Amino acid sequence: MTQIYKEYPGLLTPKECQDIIDIWPTLERGKATTTNDRELLLDKEEYGSDIRRGTTAFPPSTRIPHWDKIISAINNYNIEQQINVNGVYEVQMAKYVRGDYFHKHQDTSVKQWSRMVQNDSTRKLSISINLSAPEDYTGGELIFFTEKTETGSNGIAMNKQQGTLMAFPSYCEHQVNAVEHGTRFALVVWAKGPYWK
């Protein structure tokens, strides 16, 4: 777990998290979808049509307060991982309210069409920052799946401390449990690069 996942507890202060949350009303928002919606339409039996529920926005990184602090952590993580990235970032803000979730998934696809479409714009590193204080919501845990067992993958929950950043390769399976009460905001960043070899 510790070799590929890295947690930065409280990287952002509560005020810095609020600074980011405060831009939410100014962003163009929409129903949460997945990058693999094309595959979902082609293979509903495998993936189903209800993999995710929530609201998202895709602001440019220039709109994100404290971006330098976030990039510094990403670069620090990649010094250890040595994953080939190209300095291109995709940013998503996600809002989860009661009943919202994101079932087990990966942030990158290994399907052949993805290799052709994504090319040098493949998600290589995934970064998730918990912007909400843990008392603001129940449920909504970010779960990472580790080694396989006879009953499936072991799930480990991310630290819910506000401002905690979790970094991991985009091929790692993870999910967001359904929010039971309150509101959870998260900032997700993908560092991109050439398609996986």
Side-chain angles (χ1 to χ4, degrees):
M1 172 82 175
T2 56
Q3 292 180 344
I4 60 172
Y5 296 91
K6 183 151 186 186
E7 187 178 84
Y8 296 81
L11 176 79
L12 299 180
T13 67
K15 182 188 180 306
E16 289 170 337
C17 290
Q18 190 60 51
D19 290 342
I20 298 173
I21 292 171
D22 285 346
I23 73 168
W24 178 257
T26 71
L27 302 176
E28 183 177 334
R29 304 173 300 279
K31 178 181 175 183
T33 59
T34 71
T35 58
N36 290 335
D37 276 350
R38 177 172 162 188
E39 288 183 66
L40 299 180
L41 293 173
L42 298 174
D43 198 353
K44 288 186 178 179
E45 284 188 21
E46 180 180 353
Y47 292 100
S49 59
D50 62 348
I51 192 171
R52 186 176 192 188
R53 180 175 159 184
T55 308
T56 57
F58 290 85
S61 60
T62 53
R63 293 285 315 276
I64 304 301
H66 317 294
W67 180 247
D68 289 347
K69 200 170 186 180
I70 295 166
I71 287 298
S72 178
I74 294 171
N75 291 338
N76 176 276
Y77 170 71
N78 201 37
I79 287 171
E80 299 174 9
Q81 296 300 315
Q82 293 296 301
I83 292 176
N84 186 11
V85 295
N86 59 16
V88 175
Y89 301 95
E90 181 182 1
V91 180
Q92 177 190 91
M93 282 191 70
K95 180 181 181 181
Y96 296 87
V97 296
R98 184 177 178 179
D100 289 347
Y101 58 84
F102 198 167
H103 290 322
K104 187 193 291 188
H105 65 284
Q106 297 166 289
D107 290 341
T108 192
S109 172
V110 294
K111 298 288 179 77
Q112 182 59 36
W113 73 265
S114 299
R115 178 187 296 272
M116 294 184 292
V117 172
Q118 295 172 356
N119 197 11
D120 286 342
S121 190
T122 299
R123 292 173 176 177
K124 305 292 285 289
L125 299 177
S126 295
I127 290 83
S128 181
I129 305 174
N130 185 30
L131 298 176
S132 298
E135 59 269 19
D136 289 347
Y137 64 100
T138 56
E141 297 86 3
L142 177 58
I143 305 293
F144 295 93
F145 295 93
T146 57
E147 73 276 0
K148 304 283 185 183
T149 69
E150 291 180 6
T151 58
S153 301
N154 285 331
I156 297 176
M158 175 182 170
N159 180 349
K160 288 178 83 170
Q161 178 185 355
Q162 189 174 21
T164 294
L165 180 149
M166 180 67 86
F168 55 98
S170 297
Y171 57 74
C172 294
E173 288 185 319
H174 55 289
Q175 75 180 33
V176 178
N177 289 344
V179 170
E180 299 164 3
H181 180 268
T183 301
R184 175 183 183 260
F185 279 99
L187 184 73
V188 177
V189 179
W190 294 285
K192 296 188 169 186
Y195 192 83
W196 296 98
K197 294 182 179 179

